[in-house]
Amino acid sequence: MSFPLLTATAALPAIGAVVTAAVPAAQRTAAKWLALLFSLATLVLAAVVLVRFEPGGSRYQLTESHAWIKDFGVRYELGVDGIGVALLALTALLIPFVILAGWHDADPRTEPTAGSAPVKASRWRPTQGFFALILMTEAMVILSFEATDVFLFYILFEAMLIPMYFLIGGFGDRAHAGTDEHAAAQRSYAAVKFLLYNLAGGLLMLAAVIGLYVVAGSFSLSEIAEARANGSLSMATSTERWLFLGFFFAFAVKAPLWPLHTWLPNAMGEATTPVAVLLTAVVDKVGTFAMLRYCLQLFPEASKWATPVVLALALVSIVYGALLAVGQRDIKRLIAYASISHFGFIILGIFAMTSQGQSGATLYMVNHGISTAALMLVAGFLITRRGSRLIGDYGGVQKVAPVLAGTFLIGGLATLSLPGLAPFVSEFLVLVGAFRAYPVVGIIATVGIVLAALYVLVLYQRTMTGPVTARVDGMADLKVRELVVVVPLIALLIFLGVYPKPLTEIVNPAVKHTMSDVQKKDPQPEVEAAK
């Protein structure tokens, strides 16, 4: 039996979560180092998966299949295609930076002093829990990118809500305006809203998963696809559309797509900065990934039927998210609304149903993860120094902390998709793909580019330029730990912006399979015959 590489890649952070949580209460530093080491080991395994993956090989590779719940036909089936392996690598790459960035975020504000009343040990274990929850989330996200059994994916899709709920509600942003009681109430509201929205989507998906099993007699993605291809499985039009809507609604909440997006600004604003990165750069990608793997592959006709409405919602997300980002006074909420706009571009690329659009959408998932992580983490370092998320509390930072301002600028330029940085490639492909199939949609989507330049440059101008304010004077520049977090992300943004070929070679074959699933071909340009 070959080594179960995919299982090991997901199991390692899960084991790390258990080990980290078991560290004695007083050994907070040891818990941090253990979490970091397990995340780095997971990154090594993810690199092995990436090396062993053959872009020109079979659709799903490194497969594993074992009986799980025989009475219900549920199997433990894993496999990765080019899209899944790219997002798996992104997840494993970002988690060590999330852990390093949040090194002190779960430290107690005050320690018990000598002669003070004894403190229960459980009160002084937030650090272990914080990093254990991050690792457990990583394990579930990685396994969701690997799962090829629909029921197994559903379990993971829902289970990852649990650690994220506690990370948002239990470890909130300390740079919160107001009293501790008010901050706790806001965190609780954001966490509950996040949970309720996603659980509502999950319940509809559960009904659709059960309906799919009734129709297909299997949860196996490969078996269902094979049955549809050879004609042994056919769905009534109305049945396929209802099942598609059940899956799509859940994925649109996770993505997040307008009008199901309202939980994201609250969650990102109230969570610590590393948790906000984990949420939008990693967890939310499960939603858009699932649209490609499950909606288009299982319900091709329904996907084409829903395309006009989905494209309209994507356009609203692009423009609406960007407009609200322009008017924000809170740095983290600005980045949250910018992400809603970016997810609109991803969904636009998916449902344009052209090879350029879907390749661009997949690249966008990866590049958005890197660029948002870079911008949000630098913003977090800025907020930690000043203790405020309000844009108006800053000014002249580039004169006292030039490295911080410079990295913030590069992260911002990546967010607005400046040519030469990675997001430009993906956004360009999405727009080309959309324009080829739906020219009017492509034209309207470009409004998001203009608005992105506006909110990014205004944010930089108001925080980094101008005279040094009294509250900013004396602010320290980035430290070594912070540079270790930011510099590799910026280097990767530049590398993939100049040379995206390693990523496109992995993604493009998987996109061809998806285009084949929906029986779509790229529209050919109209060329007038020579007279």
Side-chain angles (χ1 to χ4, degrees), residues 119-136:
V119 179
K120 293 182 179 180
S122 61
R123 183 179 174 185
W124 299 105
R125 295 179 63 86
T127 302
Q128 288 85 334
F130 180 74
F131 292 106
L133 290 169
I134 290 175
L135 289 174
M136 188 58 69

Side-chain angles (χ1 to χ4, degrees), residues 143-206:
L143 203 56
S144 70
F145 292 140
E146 299 171 345
T148 56
D149 181 276
V150 178
F151 191 81
L152 173 61
F153 173 81
Y154 170 76
I155 295 297
L156 297 164
F157 187 82
E158 292 293 274
M160 68 180 67
L161 301 178
I162 299 171
M164 286 305 305
Y165 168 78
F166 287 108
L167 283 169
I168 296 168
F171 301 91
D173 189 359
R174 294 180 177 179
H176 195 290
T179 64
D180 288 345
E181 291 77 9
H182 177 68
Q186 291 290 85
R187 290 198 302 272
S188 177
Y189 171 78
V192 170
K193 189 174 183 179
F194 160 80
L195 188 64
L196 291 179
Y197 266 68
N198 284 275
L199 281 178
L203 286 174
L204 287 177
M205 182 181 171
L206 176 60

Side-chain angles (χ1 to χ4, degrees), residues 162 167 195 243 251 255 388 458 511:
I162 299 171
L167 283 169
L195 188 64
L243 293 177
F251 303 153
S388 172
V458 169
V511 168

Side-chain angles (χ1 to χ4, degrees), residues 206-231:
L206 176 60
V209 168
I210 295 171
L212 178 66
Y213 180 74
V214 171
V215 173
S218 174
F219 289 117
S220 172
L221 192 62
S222 57
E223 289 181 6
I224 296 172
E226 183 179 353
R228 299 214 67 172
N230 61 30

Side-chain angles (χ1 to χ4, degrees), residues 91-146:
T91 303
L93 172 70
L94 291 181
I95 297 302
F97 298 125
V98 167
I99 290 173
L100 273 174
W103 201 252
H104 299 297
D105 284 3
D107 289 347
R109 295 192 181 189
T110 58
E111 293 282 1
T113 57
S116 62
V119 179
K120 293 182 179 180
S122 61
R123 183 179 174 185
W124 299 105
R125 295 179 63 86
T127 302
Q128 288 85 334
F130 180 74
F131 292 106
L133 290 169
I134 290 175
L135 289 174
M136 188 58 69
T137 303
E138 178 186 19
M140 293 177 182
V141 171
I142 286 177
L143 203 56
S144 70
F145 292 140
E146 299 171 345

Side-chain angles (χ1 to χ4, degrees), residues 81-88 90 285 288-289 291-293 296 345-351 354-370 422 425-427 429-430 496 503-504 506-512 514:
D81 61 359
I83 299 169
V85 79
L87 294 174
L88 184 155
L90 170 71
K285 299 302 187 300
T288 46
F289 162 79
M291 290 180 187
L292 278 167
R293 172 167 285 189
L296 270 60
F345 276 107
I346 294 171
I347 296 170
L348 174 65
I350 292 172
F351 280 87
T354 60
S355 58
Q356 296 94 339
Q358 293 190 356
S359 293
T362 305
L363 293 180
Y364 215 128
M365 288 187 244
V366 176
N367 294 333
H368 171 265
I370 300 170
V425 179
S426 46
E427 192 163 279
L429 285 173
V430 166
L496 292 177
L503 194 53
T504 56
I506 293 173
V507 167
N508 286 341
V511 168
K512 289 181 180 179
T514 305

